[in-house]
Amino acid sequence: MALAASSPTDAPGAEGTRRRHSPFGPAVWLVAALVGLGALLAMLPEGTAEPLQTVIAWLMVAMVATLAVMLVAKGLERLLDCESS
């Protein structure tokens, strides 16, 4: 069976109803989580929950590193797009 025969064009994912995904969708969630963890870290009394504070701090470092990698990848993608045109 051909691919065109197996997928009707009037399906819910047809051309007119598709939504384009934001390229910064995951970045927005990471920034929101980073802000939330920062607020939680600021609310914890200093020295009372040292293991929890350490875990939160390392999660924040990992999130910042992930955001940096995402932004570098996006920049390289744009650079390649500019060079190819």
Side-chain angles (χ1 to χ4, degrees):
M1 174 166 37
L3 182 61
S6 66
S7 58
T9 56
D10 60 345
E15 190 67 33
T17 60
R18 281 192 202 133
R19 288 180 45 198
R20 184 174 177 184
H21 294 288
S22 172
F24 293 109
V28 172
W29 284 105
L30 279 175
V31 169
L34 186 65
V35 169
L37 283 175
L40 180 64
L41 188 62
M43 288 188 305
L44 288 175
E46 188 173 339
T48 57
E50 287 183 25
L52 181 61
Q53 288 175 341
T54 304
V55 168
I56 290 173
W58 277 110
L59 280 174
M60 291 174 69
V61 168
M63 285 182 188
V64 169
T66 303
L67 283 170
V69 168
M70 289 172 64
L71 291 175
V72 167
K74 189 67 175 173
L76 288 174
E77 181 182 345
R78 287 183 181 176
L79 181 64
L80 288 174
D81 286 344
C82 289
E83 287 181 355
S84 66
S85 14

